[in-house]
Amino acid sequence: MAGAAPIYLDYQATTPLAPEAYAAMQPWLGGPDSAGSWANPHSSHSMGRKAAATVELARSQIDALMPQGGRVIFTSGATEAINLAIRGALPALAPRRRIVTVTTEHAAVRDTCLWLERQGFEVMLLPVHPDGLVDLDAARSAITGETALLAAMLVNNEIGVIQPVDVLADMAQSVGARFLCDAVQGYGRVTLPHAADMIAITAHKIHGPKGIGALWVRDGMEIEPLIHGGGQEQGLRSGTLSPALCAGFGAAARLAAALADVDAAHVAQLRDRAIALFEGWQVNGSLGQRYPGNLNLQRDGLDVARLISEVRGVAFSAGSACASGSGRPSHVLTALGLSSAQVRSSIRLGFGRYTTIDEIERAAHLIGDAANRQTG
Ligand code: PLP
């Protein structure tokens, strides 16, 4: 028999599927007897048109949380959306060849930019202050008439810090550069930059399914596709869409809008309780400019790899899921100026809609007790 599930405090890695998103997907997962719910949404017969209507409803639900004046292109997730945005936008921006981004970006942005650097583009990584906020003076010097693209995230996936994306978008716009916002960790919860040209999001961080994301593209932006084929998604992303995944994503977006105030109040309450319980731990990154569903905490002398294996009753993370998977020390915490020992003694707690105060309290005791045993 399976034991009790751990308390899940890893919302920045992924979020639980909302029951409403699950219900929206179910009709589109049927077999041969399910009245055509398996039809191809790109077919022109009535079964296909019904599937296409589901896809379009989802698109409008997702677009409803975006700025006005753009369109939503479905992708397999945010990594693909970000690759499409960065690599797809550059050809039309020639002869400009400079890409500016922030050193604490997710690997989807950072590694795409570093790959482009090896292809001959000039890449500038903006430093951050010890609180994780981007150095705006460095941004001002880097963003010039030679800049093609500026890419910056809304909410950091490791430390929850909210970057001043409106200021960055205005800087890019003032020199005729394009601005991409990786809004994966903020979409539906934190105000999006009004002047972004492209916004990348993913369903699984807003209680939707994994395997689907989107790139929002401002009208008038020219983008080259990365994937060639049947010309779906207005020629920008060929391949057959999954109506089930689209429906789950759309339902998750609709729910995020409907519950925005309730979710925000609940998450703030969880955060306040967690901060009180983790008294004596150091918070990594700005506390004021932060999405409240993230706490990145450090305690001297802690071996976090050991802590995670000892505290089986809580699912939490050391740095980002991606960084822990690769064994690389967190580039985000390192950029804040933490020593490698401090990075190794930092944990990331992520919580949200379905976390209870009781879970936060039990998790804090489990983690606290194990930490005390280590540090004495
Ligand atoms: N950007 C940020 C800030 C993320 O947190 C993630 C997911 O971890 C991604 C991009 C990549 O998203 P996906 O898993 O949909 O490819």
Side-chain angles (χ1 to χ4, degrees):
M1 205 177 80
I7 298 165
Y8 185 74
L9 295 187
D10 205 9
Y11 269 57
Q12 276 80 55
T14 196
T15 54
L17 188 66
E20 292 85 345
Y22 182 60
M25 291 165 72
Q26 269 185 331
W28 298 100
L29 292 167
D33 300 329
S34 63
S37 66
W38 35 268
N40 187 326
H42 313 294
S43 297
S44 52
H45 46 66
S46 63
M47 286 160 67
R49 286 204 305 273
K50 211 171 143 201
T54 291
V55 169
E56 293 317 312
L57 171 63
R59 200 189 300 280
S60 63
Q61 290 168 326
I62 294 157
D63 194 37
L65 277 75
M66 290 291 189
Q68 300 272 303
R71 60 203 162 127
V72 168
I73 307 295
F74 283 117
T75 62
S76 62
T79 301
E80 186 192 332
I82 287 164
N83 271 267
L84 173 62
I86 298 178
R87 291 161 61 190
L90 288 172
L93 299 171
R96 296 176 181 226
R97 291 187 68 77
R98 179 181 297 168
I99 306 164
V100 179
T101 187
V102 186
T103 189
T104 49
E105 293 295 304
H106 186 274
V109 167
R110 192 181 157 99
D111 288 16
T112 303
C113 293
L114 294 178
W115 178 80
L116 284 162
E117 190 173 42
R118 295 195 292 279
Q119 314 308 309
F121 285 87
E122 183 195 0
V123 172
M124 297 180 81
L125 298 179
L126 301 175
V128 295
H129 297 294
D131 62 2
L133 289 164
V134 64
D135 180 336
L136 288 173
D137 290 333
R140 249 171 238 114
S141 329
I143 300 164
T144 68
E146 283 157 41
T147 307
L149 187 75
L150 168 63
M153 70 201 325
L154 178 58
V155 174
N156 187 279
N157 52 302
E158 291 192 42
I159 54 175
V161 162
I162 301 174
Q163 294 293 1
V165 283
D166 270 328
V167 178
L168 292 170
D170 287 343
M171 278 187 200
Q173 213 171 43
S174 70
V175 297
R178 295 296 192 172
F179 180 66
L180 162 67
C181 182
D182 170 355
V184 163
Q185 300 283 350
Y187 172 72
R189 288 154 287 175
V190 176
T191 310
L192 295 170
H194 62 89
D197 295 296
M198 298 174 286
I199 299 176
I201 58 172
T202 194
H204 73 103
K205 311 283 185 176
I206 60 157
H207 307 290
K210 291 165 191 59
I212 185 157
L215 181 66
W216 176 87
V217 182
R218 185 172 292 287
D219 295 339
M221 264 293 307
E222 260 183 76
I223 299 194
E224 293 282 333
L226 297 184
I227 296 174
H228 301 272
Q232 289 91 343
E233 295 300 272
Q234 302 164 50
L236 281 181
R237 204 276 187 165
S238 288
T240 305
L241 286 174
S242 159
L245 292 180
C246 293
F249 193 0
R254 181 178 47 76
L255 204 60
L259 296 181
D261 293 345
V262 178
D263 282 349
H266 177 60
V267 172
Q269 217 185 1
L270 296 170
R271 192 264 319 262
D272 291 348
R273 188 74 190 111
I275 286 179
L277 289 163
F278 282 94
E279 201 199 347
W281 294 60
Q282 178 77 34
V283 179
N284 293 324
S286 166
L287 202 49
Q289 290 297 312
R290 189 188 199 98
Y291 169 63
N294 168 284
L295 272 182
N296 195 308
L297 300 165
Q298 191 252 320
R299 186 162 147 176
D300 282 342
L302 207 60
D303 175 347
V304 163
R306 204 181 120 197
L307 189 75
I308 288 174
S309 71
E310 281 172 0
V311 185
R312 298 267 172 93
V314 188
F316 66 108
S317 178
S320 78
C322 310
S324 31
S326 69
R328 280 186 276 172
S330 157
H331 69 280
V332 174
L333 297 181
T334 306
L336 263 51
L338 268 67
S339 67
S340 58
Q342 287 171 320
V343 172
R344 279 197 308 275
S345 61
S346 294
I347 61 172
R348 180 183 71 176
L349 304 180
F351 37 84
R353 185 184 297 159
Y354 303 109
T355 315
T356 63
I357 289 276
D358 175 61
E359 285 180 313
I360 291 285
E361 288 173 349
R362 282 189 290 128
H365 287 125
L366 290 168
I367 295 170
D369 286 351
N372 287 343
R373 282 196 299 275
Q374 272 192 30
T375 57

